[in-house]
Amino acid sequence: MVDLESEVPPLPPRYRFRDLLLGDQGWQNDDRVQVEFYMNENTFKERLKLFFIKNQRSSLRIRLFNFSLKLLSCFLYIIRVLLENPSQGNEWSHIFWVNRSLPLWGLQVSVALISLFETILLGYLSYKGNIWEQILRIPFILEIINAVPFIISIFWPSLRNLFVPVFLNCWLAKHALENMINDLHRAIQRTQSAMFNQVLILISTLLCLIFTCICGIQHLERIGKKLNLFDSLYFCIVTFSTVGFGDVTPETWSSKLFVVAMICVALVVLPIQFEQLAYLWMERQKSGGNYSRHRAQTEKHVVLCVSSLKIDLLMDFLNEFYAHPRLQDYYVVILCPTEMDVQVRRVLQIPMWSQRVIYLQGSALKDQDLLRAKMDDAEACFILSSRCEVDRTSSDHQTILRAWAVKDFAPNCPLYVQILKPENKFHIKFADHVVCEEEFKYAMLALNCICPATSTLITLLVHTSRGQEGQQSPEQWQKMYGRCSGNEVYHIVLEESTFFAEYEGKSFTYASFHAHKKFGVCLIGIRREDNKNILLNPGPRCIMNATDICFYINITKEENSAFKNHDHQKKSNVSRSFYHGPSRLPVHSIIASMGTVAIDLQDTSCRSASGPTLSLPSEGNKEVRRPSIAPVLEVADTSSIQTCDLLSDQSEDETTPDEEMSSNVEYAKGYPPYSPYIGSSPTFCHLLHEKVPFCCLRLDKSCQHNCYEDAKAYGFKNKLIIVAAETAGNGLYNFIVPLRAYYRPKKELNPVILLLDNPLDDLLRCGVTFAANMVVVDKESTMSAEEDYMADAKTIVNVQTLFRLFSSLSIITELTHPANMRFMQFRAKDCYSLALSKLEKKERERGSNLAFMFRLPFAAGRVFSISMLDTLLYQSFVKDYMISITRLLLGLDTTPGSGFLCSMKITEDDLWIRTYARLYQKLCSSTGDVPIGIYRTESQKLTTSESQISISVEEWEDTKDTKEQGHHRSNHRNSTSSDQSDHPLLRRKSMQWARRLSRKGPKHSGKTAEKITQQRLNLYRRSERQELAELVKNRMKHLGLSTVGYDEMNDHQSTLSYILINPSPDTRLELNDVVYLIRPDPLAYLPNGEPSRKNSICNTTGQDSREETQL
């Protein structure tokens, strides 16, 4: 074997350890060559060029010195003119020869020598092979004219008084000034505005023209009027301003010729300068210029970064941002890469916005544009996504890059980011506040199915309003709805609050109830001093501390409220005088000081062993006294608080043995094992024990595990929830989780069907005829519409088609633009819809930000626009807790100890509670629930709408008895034309009557003819509905589906629904009212040794449940 060590060559001498200690003695024997770079810069010429030209700072000093020399030469010329005595006579020698003192001549010679030497040196350093290019330059020629005569006079003394046009050095000074500004920009590494440079050039050009004209005329008039410098200045100003008084005029032909030449030069040079200035001004108007550093340091401003700015987005931001009083002095700097839109330009010219909004055209990815916007000095930066992009993922990518660029440039600037898809959230976790559109959209759609109009509730809470909408309307529901819409969420420290300071050391439910009873405010949550998490309704076991931050719902915050003390009798009189009926709100001030809630607190023994309910007490007690409600305890009693033992789910014990036999689905409670995207909050919910095979998820196709091909065959006990979407995105996770939340009993879980394509056959197969709700979100393919408002076209038409085919179906959808909500359930000739349209226009003219709120589909919670939640991001600048509270209400986040949003329905057995205050007390004293509002449904009483015209043959045939006519019409004024489908005989008689009218001809008066026209229109509507019904039934028969249960004529045209947020304590409860509750977290504390409750407390209103509502 070969010895490897013998083959290794020895190290070179310079790498031996001995050489490292003793020095590199073997370097002289090394064959390496040391190479020095950039040797060309070591020459004398290159070193001079580096000092005079290349180095910005030294070059700036040289040009500043040159500029000073030129100004000094002009100053010496003016001194020479002022010291010279005017000579007598008109000889031409006075033009060529002047009187110059010896000291003055010495100074001018010195300046000339330095200037000429500098000019020759710079010419030599900038020489590039063409000497004539250097010699024929105008600055070089002017330098030769002004410097060479003085140098010659050194050697020829008789030429010391020779006239030299030294005043032409002003043009050299202008040239030096331009170069100096350029070097200044390079030295400080900043790009100054081109507008500033152009203005500087224009001013310097104008000054040089005037100075040259003054000195030239004064010198040429030495043989004429002998004008002094002031007279020459006067003449030039009068001439160049085109005034021309004529009191001072040149006399000699030379001076006249000089004036003509100067005017020609001005007519050529100045228009060019003005044209360039005008062009730069127009470009500045497009790009927006700069936000000065001085303003950024002395004024507060925020930056809005968008990819494209539309008028709706701009007005929503400005109206919501400036709705807060403390933001009135802030400036808004808009940074957008596109040119300003015409409508946006018109709005920004309004004085109210022109003084506070600055538009800059630029990109957030460029540091120069971020510097123009002074991002490092901004109070906040809002980055909004373009939701109208057809590729929403690409839009999110652009938003992510903008957020990264801003964070890199200004790491201390708070970021408020809007993102579209939830899977992109983890890229911007560093942002201070993030709103994901699809998360909020699907969560609100889901809660709308189980808590009606949750989207409307959240939208009204996050909008800034004074509650003045609808107060001019003659309809009472619009006044109540508009007044309660002014409630918002506010915060205050408990020890600093008048509302809550007296409840320190008492339970949360006690403080919530008594604050509502006394002041009309609704306490919904707190935040501990040592914990950043917000707790919504932490329950009766939570004791209030002085340092707790209280979150409450009210018309205005406490700091803007005034408190007036009244005695009990006065308050009673006021309350009784303001109340006008069982369904109307009292006319009260902003701070409700109600003290006449009829609550009997003496008898507190009406608790049953199974827990308190809203049902009426026994008849024996009823004869003796009014129904009583237990008081809300200051400190919770463990035995009195009934919590939901939802982990064991004892509500399942209520099922009968037959139901248990028929139920094959087994559920378990836990966290989902898989998350569809990074950043989703884990939610405790109902899960299956085993994963369902993928083949069983196809509803329309049978597999080896089941043979069902339609929803009817599955035999679902609860009504369906159908989701019509184009793609199954990750956002659907936030739709399914609230529907499977742990606090919902198993028997109330609705089957969810995802419909990716919605032709009529697929709709019928998936059970649309017996579905509880249908959610429509298919609009992604229309995002590329040329007109932004057309992005909702597909959704609107599809919903209208469903509404016409299945009028009893509850359809919930989301639109991009709030203005398009007027097309939902559109009826072209509905007089009531036209009246609401006029009301919306009037509210918009009054400056309301919630003009769309009176549209019936929005008020009922059947439609909302996700763009309404843009205000949530804007409000978080002032209320940094709003996003967290909204996510807790929607179930997107789950905090241990924090409650959740649910609802309960008022039945006939619950009307003994009578008022909202008594209900508040009943809930707080029994289960610790905190009510926050009412969802009310009323009959729609119309008189002129086509949907309310009923056909009555007897009324038209017997016209003599007018009293009977009036009585008959009053009995039918609320019925719809669809009611006639139950009376075939009436339908047949009506058709005969219509044919008889057509044979008789027009023999009626104008009023009768109008009624006949309405009757014919009603008949047409009925035949159209019958055709649609026959179409649906025929398709169902063709598909082998049963038509039983399909009620084609039952719709919701005769009802309207609306929300009352935090109504006054004296508000009367009505039948079928749905009360929004914030229920304490049952997992936060479960009593030990206490029997689990047998009654379900999580009663939802998404289904037509006939069970008694339990607390």
Side-chain angles (χ1 to χ4, degrees), residues 517-530:
K517 175 184 175 182
K518 186 175 181 180
F519 300 104
V521 300
C522 179
L523 178 63
I524 62 172
I526 62 170
R527 181 168 60 195
R528 299 293 191 186
E529 184 182 16
D530 56 347

Side-chain angles (χ1 to χ4, degrees), residues 14 80 187 245 731 775 867 886 1002:
R14 63 176 303 188
R80 198 271 306 167
F245 291 116
V775 179
S867 63
T886 306

